[in-house]
Amino acid sequence: MSSILIEMSGINKEFPGVKAVQDGMFTLEEGEIHSLVGENGAGKSTLMKILYGMYSPESGTITVRGESFPSLTPKRAIGMGIGMVHQEFMLVREMTVLENIILGFEPRRGAMIDRRAALDKIDYYARTYGLSVHPDKKVGEISVGEAQRVEIIKTMYRGAEILVLDEPTAVLTPQESEQLFEILRSMKKDGKSIVFISHKLREVLEISDRVTVMRGGRHIATLDGSSATAPELARLMVGREVFLGGTPVPSEPGEVALSVEGVYVPGEKELSKLRGVSFSVRRGEILGIAGVNGNGQSELAEAIAGLRPVQRGRVVLGGVEVQNMPPRKIREHGLSHIPEDRNLRGLDRQSDVKENLAACSFSEPPLSRGGVVNWGRVREFADDLIRSYDIRPAGVDVPAAGLSGGNAQKVVVAREVSGRAPVLLASQPTRGVDIGSIETIRAELNRAKKEGAAVVLISSDLEEILSLSDRIAVMFEGRITGEVSSSEADELSLGLLMTGGRR
Amino acid sequence: MTRTSWGATLLTILLSLAIGAAAIMLLGYDPVEAYYQLFRGAFVGKFNIGGVFERFVPLMLTALAFAVSAKVSVFNVGVEGELYLGAMAAAWAGYALTGLHPVVHVPVCFALAMVVAGAWGAIPGALKAYWRVNEVCVTILMNYVAIFFTSYLVGNPFSARTSIPRTPSIEESAKLLRFLKPSRVNIGLFVAIGVLLLVWWVLYHTTWGFRLRHTGQNPDFSEYVGIPPKKVMVWGMILSGAIGGLAGAIEVMGIHGHFLDNFSPGIAFDGMLASLIAKNDIRMVPVLALFLAVLKTGALGMERFTGVPKTLIDTIIAVFILLAAMEALFSWKRRGAASAGEGA
Ligand SMILES: Nc1ncnc2c1ncn2[C@@H]1O[C@H](COP(=O)(O)OP(=O)(O)O)[C@@H](O)[C@H]1O
Ligand SMILES: [Mg+2]
């Protein structure tokens, strides 16, 4: 019987207007990998930040190795061997890997930093756990996977025996995730205890000894990793039966509705420049575009939608060349677009739900006539969409800034899908969205396809790509590195293409 | 605007008056008497009431001009320049065009003032929209250009050759009908109110206004849904300029009867303050413009009858702005906290 390292019970934490954690509890046994799962906003990060001393709870006790505290401070948590790798990395981009690792805990010899000692330690982690990093590279130059390893080394360097990883795989490719799991397994073997936060159920089932489910800030259940199943976990997370996964609905593609021919687009970064991207999509099919974020997907979507200039090449929409046309013209030629960032482009957060829903159709009858808006019609229009897309709270005057991520995204989807445009460009349509909304949004994409729309689905979520797409193209460093039909695709082969490998 | 923010504004008004009262007491005067005289100086007698409206009209229009530009996220410090150019354009059309019927002459003067000032407003708008030039710098500098240019005009080509630098008097047919004599309040008041209602209606009930508001609130969103944000920003500034120009025209055609060099003691800056306190909410703009007009008009009476210096009123206005700004800060913080939660 292994001993209990951490016991949190009766934890309550409130933020203005949100009970982030209510009567929260969590236990961690020595040498286990314990997954913490739950939808976005379930309170996972908050609960763990309480453990790490970043927030103090209003009530509850935290017991670490038999010693109880009402709350901790990061210093004390680190002192007791707790380390946390946050959802957002906390590294200094301008400093080297080595400097980041030792920052604040520099080994000294006299007044000098003992570089040798630090390098030896880093080397030790690399050999023992497979945590390989380049100590002298600047953090700004290394991959996300490596940055994460740096974060892990940093916690161990500070003496962590208990490691909390907040959604570590959200930013990784399948191969990188697999690599991470190897690291976690070897750390476990070495006696470390790990809290693994995720909402990717397959991973959770693969790696966990135990799984704790949170919903709405509450502890719902703690299950044994070996006996838990994905549907059961999904049901506990959402609070009802859900159906996600599955395989693409069969389709009979019609004529080509959108083709992109040899497109070059300047990018945010060197890697994300488009260098001669070509593909086409037919009516009645979903073309999935997979890839690790930052390989040109954002640039591709913006170029198609007229939000970014095309240097060379053609974008043909419904038989018309539309590259470099203003977005309004491109929409008139039949494009609707779910942008990747709902807060930046997808919504006017200072406005209300009805204006956001009407933003693409307000200038035409029946919503307006002769330039005069008919607010009665706008309200009816918005009300219909709110009902059919189950947007909550169901009010046309609700400010957009007050919506949860899932409902905000449903507003965007409702506006774009309801126009029944022949081409639907969906960029990361379910990113940061709760499972219930994911279900609705994916069903809408399938419905659009069934009704004959040509759908381009850009997503870094492979499961999403695999369960919706008829064909899958993979982007890597601004190029399409391969295209496969959904029947022959699997995560492994796609993952290989996503990292630049050829099949 | 929600009920609570109306309440907050009322509270701010009361609080600043209370702080003003404390200041009056510190100066050794009786605040009750001072406020009583202030009230009388603003509301008792045709001359005083008329005086309030005289001040109200340019304050409200310049505040509106500022609010409209704020709607397209331009911080337009240039309303004063628009006011001057509009005034000059109206004065010229008022004296140079003769033999017109008032029904034609008045609108012609208004139109010319609005076109000139609108075009003037388009310049910083276009610079910001297309070349990202900071509008605050541009509009501050353009104010000097406008004021010195009108100075040149009244001194030379448009001079009335009188001892003071001004244009010839405008034709009777260009003058705005006065009422509440002996005050100089005129039908410009109704024009201003009409313009306010019209602008409100355009912003909230037309597709043009829809585009304009969304462009100001989130230009990336606008662009994405197919609204051309750059064009809309320039049009917003043209509208703002036209309103500022109209304010100048009413000053010339209703109050002075000619363009007088340096006629405005920073009217548009007071208007800007009114709009800022109103958080650029068109419905609050007339309320705050009226409040400022009352304070400024009543201050004369207060000084005359109690000896409390009328500059004290400027102190109260300053306190008021401070409180309003703090309130804005407070609500902004709350909004920031709410939006921070979503990314989790
Ligand atoms: N710093 C914060 N300020 C205000 N609200 C917060 C803050 N952090 C989290 N929340 C809110 O608390 C709830 C739980 O958030 P979080 O713990 O991040 O969930 P999870 O990690 O499970 O997605 C959410 O409703 C979130 O909006
Ligand atoms: Mg989280």
Side-chain angles (χ1 to χ4, degrees), chain A residues 392-466:
Chain A
R392 280 179 251 180
V396 296
D397 298 316
V398 173
L403 295 172
S404 71
N407 284 296
Q409 187 69 356
K410 281 197 263 181
V411 169
V412 179
V413 170
R415 179 184 63 223
E416 298 301 322
V417 173
S418 63
R420 304 273 186 275
V423 177
L424 173 61
L425 172 60
S427 212
Q428 315 289 0
T430 62
R431 182 155 76 188
V433 159
D434 59 284
I435 293 194
S437 304
I438 291 179
E439 201 183 13
T440 315
I441 291 167
R442 290 190 183 166
E444 279 308 316
L445 297 184
N446 268 327
R447 200 182 49 77
K449 158 181 155 180
K450 213 175 96 201
E451 289 177 3
V455 181
V456 181
L457 168 66
I458 300 178
S459 176
S460 47
D461 181 347
L462 271 190
E463 190 209 310
E464 173 159 282
I465 294 270
L466 284 166

Side-chain angles (χ1 to χ4, degrees), chain A residues 16-18 342-344 346-357 391-393 395-409 411-412 415, chain B residues 214 217-218 221 331-344:
Chain A
V18 205
R342 61 178 162 273
N343 292 329
L344 179 68
L347 291 171
D348 182 351
R349 285 166 61 83
Q350 290 183 45
S351 188
D352 56 22
V353 167
K354 64 175 179 304
E355 294 204 9
N356 272 289
L357 284 170
I391 294 162
R392 280 179 251 180
V396 296
D397 298 316
V398 173
L403 295 172
S404 71
N407 284 296
Q409 187 69 356
V411 169
V412 179
R415 179 184 63 223
Chain B
H214 287 283
Q217 288 164 5
N218 185 346
F221 169 82
S331 60
W332 184 82
K333 252 180 85 173
R334 254 184 325 203
R335 215 173 45 197
S339 61
E342 208 248 340

Side-chain angles (χ1 to χ4, degrees), chain A residues 40 44-45 87 166-167 197, chain B residues 344:
Chain A
N40 275 309
K44 309 180 295 290
S45 299
Q87 214 163 340
D166 196 350
E167 305 214 16
I197 304 182

Side-chain angles (χ1 to χ4, degrees), chain A residues 150-169:
Chain A
V150 173
E151 286 273 20
I152 295 173
I153 292 179
K154 198 169 135 185
T155 61
M156 310 246 295
Y157 188 85
R158 295 171 176 197
E161 293 293 319
I162 299 160
L163 185 64
V164 181
L165 296 159
D166 196 350
E167 305 214 16
T169 57

Side-chain angles (χ1 to χ4, degrees), chain A residues 87-149:
Chain A
Q87 214 163 340
E88 316 80 30
F89 292 163
M90 300 191 170
L91 299 173
V92 186
R93 291 175 57 86
E94 284 69 34
M95 287 171 48
T96 64
V97 166
L98 180 77
E99 287 164 342
N100 265 286
I101 291 171
I102 63 177
L103 192 64
F105 291 79
E106 298 87 355
R108 288 179 185 281
R109 204 165 50 196
M112 304 291 288
I113 288 175
D114 189 350
R115 232 181 95 85
R116 194 65 259 159
L119 280 174
D120 283 348
K121 239 176 166 176
I122 291 172
D123 190 49
Y124 168 78
Y125 297 131
R127 274 184 289 113
T128 323
Y129 306 120
L131 285 162
S132 54
V133 294
H134 298 86
D136 292 321
K137 273 203 181 167
K138 290 237 164 67
V139 165
E141 294 162 359
I142 62 180
S143 71
V144 198
E146 185 170 343
Q148 192 167 61
R149 293 196 292 277

Side-chain angles (χ1 to χ4, degrees), chain B residues 6-135:
Chain B
W6 281 98
T9 307
L10 191 70
L11 202 72
T12 314
I13 289 179
L14 291 177
L15 200 60
S16 55
L17 288 178
I19 294 173
I24 292 170
M25 250 177 348
L26 276 175
L27 291 175
Y29 299 98
D30 175 5
V32 177
E33 174 67 14
Y35 279 146
Y36 173 69
Q37 290 300 345
L38 184 120
F39 181 83
R40 281 182 53 96
F43 294 112
V44 176
K46 277 186 185 174
F47 182 78
N48 290 344
I49 294 180
V52 169
F53 286 125
E54 255 178 55
R55 284 190 172 74
F56 169 74
V57 170
L59 256 176
M60 197 271 278
L61 283 176
T62 51
L64 184 62
F66 183 86
V68 165
S69 59
K71 288 272 177 282
V72 288
S73 66
V74 175
F75 195 95
N76 181 12
V77 191
V79 182
E80 187 81 355
E82 295 159 2
L83 178 91
Y84 269 87
L85 289 181
M88 179 53 91
W92 178 82
Y95 77 77
L97 308 177
T98 53
L100 294 177
H101 190 275
V103 173
V104 182
H105 203 175
V106 168
V108 164
C109 293
F110 280 165
L112 188 70
M114 291 171 79
V115 167
V116 167
W120 189 249
I123 297 170
L127 285 174
K128 178 173 166 109
Y130 291 95
W131 292 283
R132 300 192 191 179
V133 181
N134 184 300
E135 75 273 25

